[in-house]
Amino acid sequence: MTKTPKFLGNKICLNVLANSIENAKECYDAAQGHIVLGILSKNYETDQAAIEEMKIYQEAVGNALSIGLGAGDPNQSEMVSRISSELQPQHVNQVFTGVGKTRALLNQEQTIVNGLVSPTNKVGTVLISTGPLSSQTTKAEVPIETAIAMLKDMGGSSVKFYPMDGLKYKEAYLAVAKSCAENDFILEPTGGIDLENFEEILQIASDAGVKKIIPHVYSSIIDQETGDTNPEDIKVLYSIMKKVGL
């Protein structure tokens, strides 16, 4: 690995998408290093193509690389595991059932590996059948504390709560945050987060006692014409992160 990103020792780390090497550098600088840059495996036809380009991103931003699925696509789970093994990034996005394989192939405990769980109609429970096969079967809903225990069993680092649709599942999100705090687990709120609801989403997790939060802010800060994530929006988000407490 290259140098360790600043976020590892802090409470909040931003996760955004990078559209190019230059865009990644701009976003990294705008957040003063308190960030990981998401590159989606789904954008590459082969493992080798993904590995070659992602290595360039790693060098550009000190390995502040987050390997993504692509809208939580379970069919990308295997590819993410394989390329993560080769790249050894700082952060990996996975479906719930892909966590164990990813951790085994990484063969180290430092990389943050999240497990995707989704909201249900019942506060306090989450959907864990988010894998390539399990997502096609009867829904598996379990208490959030059980999901966290299972993620820990598999070597996972965090809960990726997706899709949140902003604050649509506010009470469910609070329950997840409380459980993450009680079980000393990282929380990654994802989906529909923007400049307007960002502070409240962070504050809910912080007030619940979550020790490390990795909010994913995607489409709301992407320039629709260029496809770039807007560095000026990153600066706004970073100021909110400092306000809530880095």
Side-chain angles (χ1 to χ4, degrees), residues 73-75 129-139:
D73 186 351
N75 295 315
S129 49
T130 59
L133 296 178
S134 57
S135 61
Q136 304 302 313
T137 64
T138 303
K139 292 181 179 180

Side-chain angles (χ1 to χ4, degrees), residues 9 11 16 26 34 43 46 50-51 70 76 101 104 113 116 150 157 169 178 195 198 210:
K11 182 176 181 178
V16 304
E26 292 173 341
H34 299 273
N43 292 341
T46 65
I51 290 166
Q76 292 300 117
K101 184 170 186 176
V113 180
L116 193 161
M150 293 172 74
S157 316
Y169 299 99
K178 286 179 177 178
L195 296 175
F198 184 72
V210 180

Side-chain angles (χ1 to χ4, degrees), residues 24-129:
K25 290 179 181 178
E26 292 173 341
C27 293
Y28 184 86
D29 291 342
Q32 296 185 29
H34 299 273
I35 193 169
V36 283
L37 289 309
I39 309 297
L40 305 180
S41 62
K42 198 171 185 176
N43 292 341
Y44 301 92
E45 291 189 7
T46 65
D47 289 13
Q48 195 56 40
I51 290 166
E52 288 177 5
E53 186 159 297
M54 288 185 190
K55 279 183 177 178
I56 301 173
Y57 279 95
Q58 282 183 300
E59 289 300 318
V61 293
N63 199 25
L65 173 67
S66 171
I67 297 179
L69 296 158
D73 186 351
N75 295 315
Q76 292 300 117
S77 179
E78 291 286 329
M79 183 178 184
V80 165
S81 291
R82 294 191 303 267
I83 63 178
S84 295
S85 174
E86 178 73 22
L87 290 164
Q88 297 288 307
Q90 290 293 333
H91 185 271
V92 179
N93 295 273
Q94 258 300 2
V95 292
F96 189 88
T97 56
V99 170
K101 184 170 186 176
T102 296
R103 179 61 74 195
L105 289 174
L106 284 167
N107 196 31
Q108 42 88 354
E109 299 297 322
Q110 287 71 47
T111 295
I112 291 175
V113 180
N114 69 34
L116 193 161
V117 303
S118 299
T120 68
N121 292 323
K122 182 179 179 183
V123 173
T125 69
V126 292
L127 179 74
I128 63 170
S129 49

